[in-house]
Amino acid sequence: MNSDGQYEQRVVWAVVGSDIGPLMLAATPEGLVNVVFHATDPVRDRALERLAARLGTEPVEAPGSPLLAEPIRQLTAYFAGGRKDFELPLDWSLISGFNRQVLRELAAGVAYGSVVGYGDLAGRVGQPGAAQAVGVAMGANPLPVVVPCHRVVESDGGIGGFGGGLETKRKLLALEGVLPQPLF
């Protein structure tokens, strides 16, 4: 409780290993709030500073927190090939407006093992012609993998961009059977 007698939002975080490198997961009592790729110490530290500034509270490292237990379990199962859908409470407080609308549609409407074009996704949220804005929303996704921005590709069949790097996007799409597994 803070000095005004109000409960402060608590943010817990942990770094977990995955097939695409270390991921930092952060959660609030509302749900998973952030997934950060390539969570080396400098990347993690920058992400924690952004979270503190955006959420108004200092994130606490707590790998054993009940708030992180289910996200860690489900992500582990996903990378092991045993989970296709995430069933997690999500805290959408880091994103709003059009970006939130697009990401919610992506999470609900683009299944494991399938892809959607940027323009198609724009059309699904009633904004045909907003393909570039969808690309911006994908780049702003605070919950990659769980909200599967890796499943959004170019209409001409190109892989498109990806905040976690194109090699990470390829690995995620290969895991889901969209692309062939790399030979080496």
Side-chain angles (χ1 to χ4, degrees):
M1 209 179 278
N2 66 18
S3 59
D4 297 326
Q6 297 178 336
Y7 287 99
E8 294 180 39
Q9 183 177 26
R10 182 175 157 103
V11 182
V12 295
W13 66 274
V15 174
V16 297
S18 78
D19 290 357
I20 56 172
L23 297 173
M24 187 188 91
L25 308 180
T28 69
E30 297 296 315
L32 188 65
V33 72
N34 202 200
V35 176
V36 178
F37 291 117
H38 315 297
T40 58
D41 290 349
V43 170
R44 181 203 64 214
D45 292 347
R46 282 191 303 276
L48 291 170
E49 287 173 15
R50 282 191 308 271
L51 278 173
R54 295 284 309 277
L55 299 176
T57 185
E58 198 66 38
V60 175
E61 184 175 15
S65 170
L67 298 176
L68 292 169
E70 192 60 17
I72 290 170
R73 190 185 73 71
Q74 288 191 26
L75 277 160
T76 300
Y78 169 81
F79 284 110
R83 174 169 282 279
K84 296 184 184 208
D85 300 306
F86 292 99
E87 297 169 6
L88 296 170
L90 301 177
D91 180 337
W92 293 94
S93 62
L94 294 178
I95 198 142
S96 61
F98 177 78
N99 290 357
R100 183 187 291 191
Q101 182 184 10
V102 168
L103 291 172
R104 283 181 178 262
E105 173 59 30
L106 174 63
V110 182
Y112 181 98
S114 63
V115 294
V116 65
Y118 292 94
D120 293 334
L121 190 53
R124 289 186 188 192
V125 297
Q127 299 290 327
Q132 285 185 318
V134 166
V136 171
M138 295 306 103
N141 182 4
L143 295 161
V145 182
V146 175
V147 177
C149 52
H150 60 278
R151 296 180 190 154
V152 183
V153 297
E154 295 174 347
S155 60
D156 66 2
I159 195 168
F162 193 62
L166 293 182
E167 186 58 30
T168 299
K169 186 171 188 173
R170 284 186 191 96
K171 285 180 180 179
L172 290 167
L173 291 172
L175 172 70
E176 295 187 8
V178 175
L179 292 176
Q181 291 286 345
L183 296 175
F184 48 88

